[in-house]
Amino acid sequence: MDPKPGDVLHVGVEASVQFGGSRSLIFRVIKVHDWTTYDGWVWLLGYALDRAGNAVDRREIFVQRAGLKLIAPDAAPVNRRTPPAPPGRASRSGANRKAPTAVSTPRRLR
């Protein structure tokens, strides 16, 4: 398999003995290095994911391409976050924006 950025992979003992048993991981690729390596091996930069799909550790791993297993996009845990809209910015057209007004605050007299 030829991994590419964005792929979510299962990395187990088939990819490298260091990922055997409970040390296997789900890995989201962010970069495939073009470094010269042994035939069939590759350096990957990415994030180890928890069960909810959250990145928990940035890692660089050296693995055999043939041992990597692509997780189907439907089965891959994905945590999609949408940033909240800034206060008072409900639309970008400007139609709903209010003109700035002067703010007056009452003063206490002593």
Side-chain angles (χ1 to χ4, degrees), residues 7-110:
D7 284 349
V8 177
L9 310 170
H10 176 261
V11 182
V13 71
E14 300 85 8
S16 177
V17 294
Q18 67 183 336
F19 299 111
S22 64
R23 295 177 299 202
S24 68
L25 54 96
I26 304 298
F27 190 79
R28 176 166 286 132
V29 179
I30 58 173
K31 182 175 184 176
V32 179
H33 291 293
D34 59 356
W35 300 336
T36 304
T37 64
Y38 296 105
D39 189 35
W41 291 76
V42 65
W43 280 100
L44 300 176
L45 177 65
Y47 293 98
L49 305 178
D50 64 10
R51 290 180 183 209
N54 299 313
V56 292
D57 190 21
R58 185 173 170 143
R59 305 224 8 209
E60 194 163 317
I61 60 176
F62 185 56
V63 292
Q64 292 183 33
R65 292 175 190 264
L68 298 173
K69 294 182 180 142
L70 182 65
I71 296 177
D74 294 337
V78 177
N79 186 4
R80 298 192 189 273
R81 296 181 186 166
T82 56
R89 306 276 179 164
S91 81
R92 298 183 131 226
S93 68
N96 294 335
R97 292 187 188 163
K98 295 180 181 178
T101 58
V103 177
S104 63
T105 56
R107 294 188 179 181
R108 285 188 167 180
L109 298 175
R110 291 184 188 202

